[in-house]
Amino acid sequence: MCEAADAYEIFCYTRDTLAEVCHIDVNLGKLAAWSKNIQPPPDDFHLLGQDVWRGNMPEHSRGLKVVGTPIGTAAYVDRVSREIVNEEVQLLDSIPQLASLQISWLLLYFCAVPRLN
């Protein structure tokens, strides 16, 4: 968390530190930044790619997912949460169709429950 004006510089510092110390390359395809206040992207943020800055998108798109958890405006969290639940329902609906009760239980226990949590 930082001031929007400092976001690009802090990103570059973090990216470089992860590469030098941890030998981790940042996946720019998964990069997103969000601000609870509607504002244009900070200077130089366009260098990171399109749709990275989520601070000036429509309310239902103004947010991001952190380790699978939606964070952002109430409309964004509601929309993404509904999508997650709708996807989960497909798995839950298919589990009873399996011939093996043991396999059904294992899928429920190891796949469905952790995803919903």
Side-chain angles (χ1 to χ4, degrees):
M1 300 180 81
C2 64
E3 295 294 324
D6 299 329
Y8 182 75
E9 183 180 335
I10 290 172
F11 165 77
C12 292
Y13 174 79
T14 304
R15 178 198 58 205
D16 296 343
T17 302
L18 284 170
E20 290 174 24
V21 177
C22 304
H23 307 288
I24 295 173
D25 290 326
V26 172
N27 182 345
L28 292 179
K30 293 185 174 186
L31 179 67
W34 169 73
S35 170
K36 68 179 178 178
N37 301 319
I38 299 172
Q39 57 188 24
D43 294 338
D44 297 327
F45 236 70
H46 67 280
L47 300 173
L48 300 176
Q50 291 181 325
D51 297 330
V52 171
W53 183 252
R54 309 277 171 87
N56 60 347
M57 292 188 155
E59 187 155 341
H60 67 278
S61 297
R62 203 166 54 245
L64 50 93
K65 283 170 57 174
V66 177
V67 194
T69 302
I71 298 172
T73 62
Y76 173 80
V77 171
D78 184 57
R79 180 183 63 82
V80 172
S81 297
R82 288 179 191 277
E83 290 171 3
I84 291 169
V85 168
N86 289 338
E87 186 178 314
E88 189 68 18
V89 165
Q90 292 177 6
L91 173 64
L92 292 174
D93 285 345
S94 63
I95 288 176
Q97 308 301 322
L98 298 171
S100 170
L101 187 58
Q102 184 176 7
I103 291 173
S104 296
W105 170 250
L106 291 172
L107 281 173
L108 183 64
Y109 186 76
F110 287 111
C111 297
V113 171
R115 286 177 56 174
L116 225 91
N117 285 339

